[in-house]
Amino acid sequence: MKLNKQYLLGFIGGAFLAVAAVGAQESKPNLIESMTVASQGGVVNVKLTFSQALTKVPLGFAVAKPARIAVDFPNTSNGLGKNSQTYNEGELRSVNVIEADGRTRLVLNLNQAMTYESAIDGNSLVLTLARSAKEGVAPLVEHFSETRAFQSSNSIRDIAFRRGKDGEARISVDLSDPNAGIDIRQQGQNLIVDFVKVTVPETLRKRLDVTDFATPVVSVSTTQQGANTRMTISPRGLWEHNAYQSDNQFVIEVKPVIENPNKLVQGSRGGYQGEKLSLNFQNVEVRRLLQVIGEFTGMNMVVSDSVGGAITLILKDVPWDQALDIILQQKGLDMRKNGNVILIAPRDEIATKEKLDFESKVQISDLEPLRTESFQMNYIKGADVQKLLVDPKQTLLSKRGSALLDDRSNILFVKDAPSRLDDVRDMIAKVDVPVRQVMIEARIVEAGDSFAKNLGVRFGYHDQTPSGKNKVNVAGGGSLTDTGFHTGQIATNPPWTESLSVNMPAKPRAGTPGVLSMILFGSSKTNFLNAEISALEADGKGKVVSSPRVMTANQVEALIEQGVEIPYQQATSAGATSVSFRKANLSLKVKPQITPDGRVTMTLDVNKDTPNESLNTGGNGVAIDTKHVKTEVLVENGGTVVIGGIYTQKTAQNTQRVPFFGDLPYVGWLFKNREWIDDKTELLVFITPRIVAEGLSVR
């Protein structure tokens, strides 16, 4: 079962999307038939009548800010015919009834925090509301989930802290059993989470300092208190929390809230977030209506004497900040909020007052005495800060302010009004920080896979039968020189290659082919048949890896290169020649930028040039094989990304043959030379950035 609860200042019962239901559900659906409210002596009794008697007291919880009591009824429907009703009985203002997925939640909206007791009376449930025993002490406990009776030896297996993408703190607790009881409450500025009847190992009983995560949470402490485990979360500033559970994983999030002094209700949600109210007034004075809203919200209001008039207003279940905004717009009023005090006056009056305030501040700044303060620059050049301060396009210093720099000590002396010195101090504290560094590693991988097969044949026939009477003798060979030698016309023995009738051996691009030769001759050794088969099959694989690495500061361009410079001659304008050089280098040029979420954006320029001596340029120099990638990528810290790749494949099948004879069936292969080629090459460029942690060295 998944539980998802969120408590915001704008909490309203009608916004509940998830209803907690713990325990066994009733066999048949139940129905809320009626509800009555009565108050006596500060005690409020709420009586609910059901179609069936309840088997057990339903679970509920109380919230102090705003003051509410919520009771959950599983397997129950709302039969009242309406979802909200206003009572104004004692401290009970209104009641909301929300039904979702066969479950019903009863929300009691109170003027102040109260305790409650539940009792079953036949088919009815009686809720007795009373003030707390101690004035001002409110039940702040949120029963996130109730423990089961048979669960008594649950334990916490792990505690993890992470920073969310929006800057929120996320504390994850791994439980041994998902049915463990969990209570959440706010105690002062801290958030207390109690795990009922849950133990925690000694290794997890410690205080975690999480200030460096830049979240609202400063520390998380986990201790064992009797049979329970208590987790104390210490946030700072304005924050709100959200808790949910998925199986054995309990997660509580603490989100920062940016304070808006002009916003009536603080929170991260947009729009109107105030508590809902209903207003029905006919021709009521505006001042009286503002008083009602002030009493409802508990806000301090100061209404100008110039505010007057009457208004007719009918609003139902409208957030109070929206209702106030409607009233101000209708009567031409405006407001200014300072802490818990709201000033309401006509727009012109507020604008005039603010104008006078601003003019007085300007006059005071012109008469305020000046003060000189020195600032020691640690990581940034003082000249850069001085340039920012004296830049006429910015107004950080007043017109009477000045900045003087001592280059030797890198100390900046600023003379200005105390208020402007505070601004300078805050600015220097933000810019004079150590620059984070990034190690960038590039891997250029060139892989090749080659295959070649060659097949060729050489053969010849010779007849050296002596000449006789009345006989026709044949002398054959690969050339006239060979034939003339056999007939005695030429005395010189020709080379062996000229004695073959067909000379088409295998000619591979590299390597030496294998040869199989055979000679057939008669018993008189006058007739010869020579045959030679040559073949070669070559299969090769290779890989070249280049890995340039460079470390640089954040947002600072870096370059590393290695290679040779090849000289070549070129003509000048005067007609003479000069020697120039061209680089054939392996280079990496990069400019990293660390993002707020810990990733790295890089502008990359990777180049790999190699001289190609095998390519014939006709004596005009040396050819250069170029591989170049220029791009911009976003990579996780420590992650690897492929920024480019080139894949080439060359296939060829070449055949050389003797016309006619090479096309003859079966014997045609004796008159052919064949070659098969299949070459594959692939180039890949990998980039891996690593943010160097402070206090660590990179080797």
Side-chain angles (χ1 to χ4, degrees):
M1 178 181 180
K2 298 183 179 179
L3 302 176
N4 189 0
K5 301 180 180 179
Q6 186 175 12
Y7 294 92
L8 304 173
L9 295 177
F11 174 96
I12 185 64
F16 282 110
L17 301 178
V19 180
V22 182
Q25 296 187 351
E26 302 176 14
S27 58
K28 295 181 180 180
N30 207 343
L31 181 68
I32 302 177
E33 295 180 343
S34 63
M35 178 175 56
T36 58
V37 177
S39 62
Q40 183 179 4
V43 178
V44 181
N45 294 316
V46 180
K47 184 177 181 180
L48 300 171
T49 304
F50 298 84
S51 60
Q52 304 177 24
L54 300 179
T55 59
K56 58 182 294 186
V57 176
L59 300 177
F61 61 90
V63 180
K65 294 182 181 180
R68 285 189 178 89
I69 296 176
V71 184
D72 295 328
F73 302 96
N75 199 24
T76 303
S77 302
N78 180 18
L80 300 176
K82 50 187 173 181
N83 296 328
S84 63
Q85 186 171 351
T86 303
Y87 289 98
N88 292 322
E89 291 283 346
E91 300 297 336
L92 178 62
R93 296 199 319 270
S94 61
V95 176
N96 297 99
V97 182
I98 307 95
E99 181 182 354
D101 298 332
R103 303 164 183 169
T104 300
R105 168 167 288 186
L106 175 70
V107 181
L108 307 178
N109 303 310
L110 311 174
N111 293 324
Q112 65 178 14
M114 305 179 69
T115 61
Y116 77 98
E117 294 182 355
S118 304
I120 298 177
D121 184 12
N123 286 10
S124 301
L125 176 68
V126 179
L127 302 176
T128 303
L129 312 183
R131 293 187 176 95
S132 302
K134 297 182 180 180
E135 190 68 25
V137 178
L140 301 175
V141 179
E142 170 196 347
H143 299 284
F144 184 88
S145 62
E146 298 288 341
T147 185
R148 302 290 179 85
F150 59 84
Q151 304 288 339
S152 59
S153 60
N154 299 333
S155 63
I156 295 177
R157 296 185 294 192
D158 191 19
I159 300 175
F161 184 93
R162 293 181 177 86
R163 184 181 187 272
K165 63 179 182 178
D166 297 328
E168 73 274 12
R170 184 176 294 142
I171 300 102
S172 302
V173 181
D174 189 9
L175 302 170
S176 61
D177 195 289
N179 298 315
I182 304 174
D183 292 338
I184 306 173
R185 70 179 185 273
Q186 184 176 348
Q187 182 175 312
Q189 184 64 12
N190 297 332
L191 190 64
I192 306 298
V193 183
D194 288 330
F195 299 89
V196 184
K197 296 183 180 180
V198 175
T199 61
V200 58
E202 289 286 347
T203 56
L204 299 179
R205 299 178 188 177
K206 55 186 177 182
R207 180 180 181 272
L208 301 178
D209 189 352
V210 294
T211 307
D212 294 340
F213 285 85
T215 68
V217 178
V218 178
S219 64
V220 180
S221 301
T222 306
T223 58
Q224 186 75 43
Q225 294 189 349
N228 304 334
T229 297
R230 172 166 293 184
M231 177 180 290
T232 304
I233 303 173
S234 301
R236 60 184 175 184
L238 294 178
W239 53 272
E240 58 189 16
H241 78 277
N242 176 33
Y244 58 91
Q245 183 173 345
S246 177
D247 296 330
N248 292 26
Q249 196 78 15
F250 170 75
V251 180
I252 183 168
E253 295 181 348
V254 181
K255 302 179 180 180
V257 176
I258 300 176
E259 184 177 7
N260 187 353
N262 298 322
K263 195 174 181 180
L264 296 175
V265 181
Q266 304 294 331
S268 60
R269 296 181 301 172
Y272 299 104
Q273 309 175 32
E275 186 178 350
K276 293 185 178 181
L277 54 76
S278 298
L279 300 174
N280 191 345
F281 293 98
Q282 299 289 331
N283 197 24
V284 64
E285 294 182 359
V286 176
R287 302 177 65 87
R288 175 56 182 166
L289 188 57
L290 295 176
Q291 180 183 356
V292 172
I293 296 177
E295 294 175 351
F296 176 82
T297 60
M299 301 285 291
N300 300 315
M301 285 191 180
V302 178
V303 183
S304 175
D305 294 338
S306 56
V307 177
I311 189 174
T312 299
L313 200 64
I314 302 176
L315 300 175
K316 184 178 180 181
D317 293 337
V318 177
W320 71 265
D321 50 345
Q322 184 181 7
L324 179 59
D325 191 29
I326 293 173
I327 297 172
L328 298 180
Q329 291 180 9
Q330 291 296 321
K331 305 304 294 184
L333 305 176
D334 203 352
M335 70 160 201
R336 292 295 183 268
K337 181 174 177 290
N338 185 8
N340 197 32
V341 179
I342 300 176
L343 172 64
I344 297 177
R347 292 192 181 97
D348 296 339
E349 182 179 333
I350 291 181
T352 302
K353 182 179 180 302
E354 290 181 343
K355 181 180 179 181
L356 294 175
D357 292 340
F358 294 150
E359 291 177 350
S360 63
K361 290 181 179 179
V362 173
Q363 294 175 1
I364 293 174
S365 63
D366 294 337
L367 302 175
E368 191 176 5
L370 303 181
R371 193 180 67 185
T372 302
E373 186 172 346
S374 62
F375 300 93
Q376 176 67 61
M377 304 294 110
N378 298 318
Y379 304 101
I380 192 173
K381 294 181 180 179
D384 296 337
V385 180
Q386 184 188 26
K387 185 178 180 181
L388 292 175
L389 295 178
V390 301
D391 188 357
K393 296 181 180 180
Q394 58 83 30
T395 58
L396 189 60
L397 293 181
S398 66
K399 59 184 178 181
R400 299 188 297 159
S402 62
L404 179 64
L405 174 67
D406 181 20
D407 293 329
R408 183 182 59 85
S409 59
N410 203 30
I411 296 178
L412 185 66
F413 299 90
V414 182
K415 184 178 182 180
D416 209 333
S419 58
R420 295 300 181 96
L421 291 178
D422 294 338
D423 297 337
V424 173
R425 189 181 302 106
D426 294 339
M427 187 271 289
I428 293 177
K430 293 180 180 180
V431 299
D432 189 24
V433 295
V435 181
R436 304 181 70 181
Q437 300 184 91
V438 185
M439 169 66 75
I440 298 100
E441 179 182 359
R443 292 189 300 278
I444 306 172
V445 182
E446 300 176 82
D449 186 358
S450 61
F451 174 81
K453 184 170 67 174
N454 301 81
L455 180 63
V457 177
R458 300 198 302 177
F459 75 94
Y461 169 77
H462 303 281
D463 185 1
Q464 298 182 1
T465 304
S467 301
K469 245 183 202 183
N470 303 324
K471 280 189 177 182
V472 179
N473 299 312
V474 178
S479 67
L480 290 177
T481 303
D482 180 64
T483 305
F485 173 75
H486 292 314
T487 57
Q489 300 178 63
I490 298 176
T492 305
N493 190 3
W496 173 253
T497 56
E498 295 186 4
S499 65
L500 298 172
S501 301
V502 179
N503 186 15
M504 303 183 72
K507 297 179 180 180
R509 295 174 296 174
T512 303
V515 177
L516 175 64
S517 61
M518 181 177 59
I519 299 179
L520 300 178
F521 54 90
S523 57
S524 60
K525 300 182 180 180
T526 57
N527 299 318
F528 297 88
L529 179 62
N530 308 320
E532 179 186 89
I533 300 175
S534 57
L536 176 67
E537 183 173 315
D539 190 3
K541 295 182 179 180
K543 182 171 68 174
V544 179
V545 180
S546 305
S547 182
R549 285 176 279 182
V550 63
M551 186 168 66
T552 181
N554 184 29
Q555 297 185 358
V556 177
E557 185 178 83
L559 172 66
I560 184 173
E561 62 180 2
Q562 179 190 15
V564 298
E565 291 189 356
I566 301 175
Y568 66 95
Q569 291 185 346
Q570 65 176 4
T572 63
S573 58
T577 59
S578 63
V579 179
S580 300
F581 294 87
R582 180 180 177 184
K583 292 184 178 181
N585 293 342
L586 170 65
S587 65
L588 170 63
K589 182 187 292 184
V590 59
K591 183 177 181 180
Q593 179 180 353
I594 303 175
T595 62
D597 58 353
R599 295 188 288 180
V600 182
T601 299
M602 296 175 292
T603 302
L604 292 160
D605 192 348
V606 183
N607 192 75
K608 188 177 187 300
D609 296 340
T610 55
N612 189 352
E613 302 286 352
S614 62
L615 184 63
N616 186 13
T617 60
N620 296 323
V622 180
I624 298 177
D625 293 335
T626 301
K627 305 172 184 68
H628 188 199
V629 179
K630 186 176 182 180
T631 184
E632 183 173 346
V633 293
L634 176 64
V635 192
E636 297 284 345
N637 179 27
T640 301
V641 63
V642 181
I643 65 172
I646 300 175
Y647 176 81
T648 59
Q649 182 178 9
K650 177 183 178 182
T651 59
Q653 183 175 351
N654 303 319
T655 303
Q656 299 177 353
R657 70 185 75 188
V658 178
F660 179 74
F661 294 99
D663 298 329
L664 295 176
Y666 302 109
V667 299
W669 66 273
L670 296 174
F671 301 90
K672 295 180 182 179
N673 176 291
R674 288 169 286 182
E675 181 182 33
W676 294 267
I677 300 174
D678 188 4
D679 293 341
K680 302 175 185 177
T681 59
E682 187 172 10
L683 172 68
L684 296 174
V685 182
F686 301 87
I687 296 294
T688 303
R690 293 183 177 88
I691 301 175
V692 181
E694 297 182 5
L696 299 181
S697 60
V698 178
R699 297 182 294 175

